Amino acid sequence: MTEIWYGLTKAMELIISFDPEVMEIAARTLRIAGTSCLLASLISLPLASLIHFRRFHGKRVLINIIQTLFSVPTVIVGLFVFVLLSRAGPLGELGILFTPAAMVIGQMILITPILLGLTISALSGVSKEVVETATSLGASGFQLVLLVLREARYAVLAALILGFGRALSELGVAMMVGGNIRGFTRVMTTALSLATTRGELEMALALGIILLFLALVINIVLNRLQQRR
Amino acid sequence: MNSLSSMIEVADLTHSYGGKEILKGLNLSIARGEVFALIGPTGAGKTTLLRIIDLLETPGSGEIYFDGICVPRSGKQRLEIRRRMSFIHQKPQVFNSSVYDNVACGLRWRGEERDRIAEKVDGILETVGLEGYDSRDARTLSGGEAQRVALARALVLEPEVLLLDEPTANLDPVSTAKIEHLIGDVARRHNTTMIMATHDMAQGQQLADRIGVLIDGTLLQTGNATDIFRSPRNEEVAHFVGMENIIEGVVVANNEGIATVSVGSNPDGIGIQAVSNYPARQEVYACIRPEDITLAPMMHRSSARNSLQGRVARVASNGPLSRVQIDCGFRLVALVTRVSAEELNLQEGSEVYADFKATAVHIMERNASR
């Protein structure tokens, strides 16, 4: 027990003193997760709008598949991206395995279903009457999509934040295609895992506290957004 | 019909929803600058017709001509045509943004310049009495204010055609009066062609040049207010326009345009004098508006050609008026002012004479075709 208390006090020291290594890892984590989320949303928002506004066969099935992929295990995405980027793989020539770029690709694949699914349901929350009012006021198809996205902005933003949270806290992809290289691809989850196995309890606890704190911030922002409609 | 002279023309329009026929072969032509009121009970197809005219829906069959152009069933031209119209919905839908952004959106979508937009939006907000509301969140407005935002949002586009679907149905009398005043003003000043669906006949009468009665997907009658309210074409229209007294009878004689109609259940019948050209033995309905009947304590021999003796069956107040049911061999309803009802001391069972002019009786053929 004393060991844990000691670890906790040390961890707080690391955080309060802005320990360079801890801060560097935290900053990299935010950067990589942020990039993944940004790129995934650039794909997801137009794609979700397309799925929402177009009528086609198998739409229901497609949405079901997307929703199933919300909970795809991170290690499966990690494995998939690993195979894709490994030297013998189809994209092996890029030589980006064990780089932040590989992590971004993996995290994008991981969170795109969440962004897609939640954006589609956010758009469905905009009433038919609003869509019709805009149509009769002379909105073109594209202008209509922009308006509906704007009407659903809080719900869409909530989707983005949830995706960001998932990218931030996942371990499988970061470990398998990032490789936990110190000063290069080491992020909070991989660093935490390593520190624990090494017995560096104060480091592990410090990272854990920061991760939890970020989760708390995300949750508060989400709650705020869900109260605004 | 010459489609060049009319702003909107609808030809053989048919439309169904889930197997139910909503519009049944509608033909209608609206002239440029005309204010047309579409009246009819709920579910008659008024909204569907407006939605089809606004190109929000494609009809099952039939054509729409806008300013002489035959509207295609799909494609980019529909957007161009739609941008020359505005539609005010029964329940105003405001966007989740400021009042200013709500009103400006249509202009932005048309690529109007920023300065022009600001100028126009400020102007229209003043017109609808919402100056200073620019930055208010549109979703916090009251129903009447929201409807005025919707009206401003539509009017700022200076549409050639304005479609209104029960624009005051959900509003209190004060807000209703404001909206009606604005609509009347726009029609006068901008010569905007308007089609207004309403179940409020007084509103139709007050604002429209011409009225169409739509019942059960069919346009039963079009004409000016006097035509519709005084001379309904058949029983359905008569009922809808408030002809409370629709009495079955037979013409027994016609003397130079004054028909004597025998009504009531007793064998001899009661004779009613009415201005009509129907010949003897024609089966008819005699229609009398309740407000055209005056009540008197004794037989009257003046300008009123009919003076029927009866007994009061029921007196009910109806705002400033009293609604009196009289049994004079058949049931007759009269609307009189409350003051006169009190002066006559009308009570159940009291004897009274119901007077009405021969010109107040509208005679229509029984089983008149649609």
Side-chain angles (χ1 to χ4, degrees), chain A residues 127 129-130 132-140 143 147 150-151 153-154 229, chain B residues 51 54 56 79 82-83 85 87 89 93 95-97 106 109-110 139 153 157:
Chain A
S127 75
E129 287 79 13
V130 163
E132 208 142 75
T133 300
T135 308
S136 73
L137 284 166
S140 68
Q143 289 165 338
L147 176 96
R150 219 177 98 93
E151 287 290 296
R153 58 191 178 273
Y154 298 123
R229 296 247 14 121
Chain B
R51 286 168 52 84
D54 196 38
L56 291 173
L79 176 63
R82 194 188 294 121
R83 283 186 170 173
M85 298 185 261
F87 192 172
H89 297 258
Q93 290 290 336
F95 302 130
N96 190 359
S97 57
W109 288 331
R110 282 161 178 76
R139 302 233 279 196
R153 192 170 57 183
L157 303 172

Side-chain angles (χ1 to χ4, degrees), chain B residues 23-56:
Chain B
L23 298 175
K24 303 168 181 170
L26 220 78
N27 288 293
L28 178 63
S29 177
I30 314 270
R32 184 181 283 277
E34 185 175 13
V35 178
F36 186 85
L38 201 57
I39 65 173
T42 315
K46 303 188 295 289
T47 303
T48 306
L49 177 58
L50 289 182
R51 286 168 52 84
I52 289 173
I53 292 174
D54 196 38
L55 315 184
L56 291 173

Side-chain angles (χ1 to χ4, degrees), chain B residues 87-101:
Chain B
F87 192 172
I88 308 280
H89 297 258
Q90 180 172 357
K91 232 179 126 222
Q93 290 290 336
V94 293
F95 302 130
N96 190 359
S97 57
S98 68
V99 168
Y100 183 93
D101 285 339

Side-chain angles (χ1 to χ4, degrees), chain B residues 46-336:
Chain B
K46 303 188 295 289
T47 303
T48 306
L49 177 58
L50 289 182
R51 286 168 52 84
I52 289 173
I53 292 174
D54 196 38
L55 315 184
L56 291 173
E57 241 168 287
T58 41
S61 69
E63 299 292 348
I64 301 161
Y65 296 87
F66 183 93
D67 200 9
I69 310 160
C70 181
V71 179
R73 297 183 72 81
S74 62
K76 225 177 148 51
Q77 208 189 354
R78 286 174 75 86
L79 176 63
E80 283 165 30
I81 294 174
R82 194 188 294 121
R83 283 186 170 173
R84 296 169 66 184
M85 298 185 261
S86 283
F87 192 172
I88 308 280
H89 297 258
Q90 180 172 357
K91 232 179 126 222
Q93 290 290 336
V94 293
F95 302 130
N96 190 359
S97 57
S98 68
V99 168
Y100 183 93
D101 285 339
N102 261 276
V103 177
C105 65
L107 292 170
R108 289 191 185 130
W109 288 331
R110 282 161 178 76
E112 190 81 66
E113 278 171 49
R114 256 185 116 85
D115 296 351
R116 287 286 293 148
I117 292 177
E119 207 175 290
K120 285 185 175 181
V121 172
D122 286 345
I124 203 78
L125 283 178
E126 203 185 317
T127 306
V128 301
L130 289 175
E131 57 269 56
Y133 276 62
D134 308 47
S135 52
R136 276 276 294 274
D137 179 351
R139 302 233 279 196
T140 62
L141 300 176
S142 72
E145 289 167 337
Q147 189 59 291
R148 276 187 282 159
V149 168
L151 200 59
R153 192 170 57 183
L155 293 179
V156 79
L157 303 172
E158 292 161 16
E160 290 167 66
V161 173
L162 185 60
L163 305 168
L164 302 122
D165 186 11
E166 305 263 10
T168 60
N170 295 316
L171 302 180
D172 60 88
V174 177
S175 302
T176 299
K178 275 185 195 158
I179 300 278
E180 282 177 351
H181 177 77
L182 281 167
I183 294 169
D185 209 44
V186 169
R188 265 194 306 280
R189 282 203 303 199
H190 300 280
N191 198 31
T192 309
T193 308
M194 289 193 196
I195 306 178
M196 179 172 63
T198 179
H199 65 256
D200 180 351
M201 284 170 298
Q203 191 171 65
Q205 194 169 10
Q206 182 195 335
L207 295 170
D209 302 320
R210 202 154 60 100
I211 295 175
V213 184
L214 184 68
I215 293 177
D216 199 18
T218 310
L219 205 53
L220 291 180
Q221 189 173 359
T222 56
N224 62 29
T226 317
D227 284 347
I228 303 275
F229 293 106
R230 293 280 151 201
S231 318
R233 214 178 93 192
N234 67 17
E235 208 187 335
E236 277 169 294
V237 178
H239 264 300
F240 186 73
V241 299
M243 279 283 191
E244 266 189 86
N245 301 300
I246 302 176
I247 308 146
E248 269 185 42
V250 179
V251 178
V252 289
N254 195 320
N255 189 7
E256 288 172 8
I258 303 290
T260 305
V261 181
S262 168
V263 300
S265 46
N266 50 329
D268 301 333
I270 297 161
I272 291 180
Q273 308 290 313
V275 176
S276 166
N277 288 321
Y278 282 115
R281 282 203 290 283
Q282 172 73 50
E283 295 194 322
V284 295
Y285 286 114
C287 307
I288 310 153
R289 299 191 72 86
E291 60 271 28
D292 288 344
I293 298 173
T294 55
L295 298 179
M298 60 193 70
M299 180 78 98
H300 219 255
R301 280 263 162 246
S302 66
S303 55
R305 295 287 297 268
N306 295 289
S307 193
L308 304 177
Q309 189 188 19
R311 273 183 196 287
V312 174
R314 212 172 110 78
V315 183
S317 43
N318 185 357
L321 300 173
S322 283
R323 205 165 163 281
V324 188
Q325 269 188 39
I326 306 145
D327 181 14
C328 44
F330 54 93
R331 197 192 71 128
L332 204 57
V333 177
L335 268 181
V336 296

Side-chain angles (χ1 to χ4, degrees), chain A residues 139-226:
Chain A
S140 68
F142 180 64
Q143 289 165 338
L144 200 62
V145 172
L146 289 187
L147 176 96
V148 172
L149 276 170
R150 219 177 98 93
E151 287 290 296
R153 58 191 178 273
Y154 298 123
V156 171
L157 211 54
L160 298 188
I161 286 175
L162 218 60
F164 178 66
R166 173 119 159 113
L168 203 66
S169 58
E170 68 83 28
L171 171 67
V173 172
M175 192 68 102
M176 290 168 79
V177 303
N180 196 18
I181 302 164
R182 185 174 184 183
F184 186 48
T185 60
R186 180 163 299 173
V187 289
M188 282 193 282
T189 50
T190 55
L192 194 154
S193 165
L194 182 68
T196 309
T197 42
R198 273 194 189 160
E200 295 168 2
L201 205 55
E202 68 272 20
M203 186 64 171
L205 281 170
L207 290 165
I209 289 166
I210 295 173
L211 264 176
L212 272 177
F213 175 73
L214 288 174
L216 180 72
V217 169
I218 285 170
N219 222 323
I220 290 170
V221 174
L222 263 178
N223 263 322
R224 278 289 173 87
L225 285 176
Q226 271 151 9

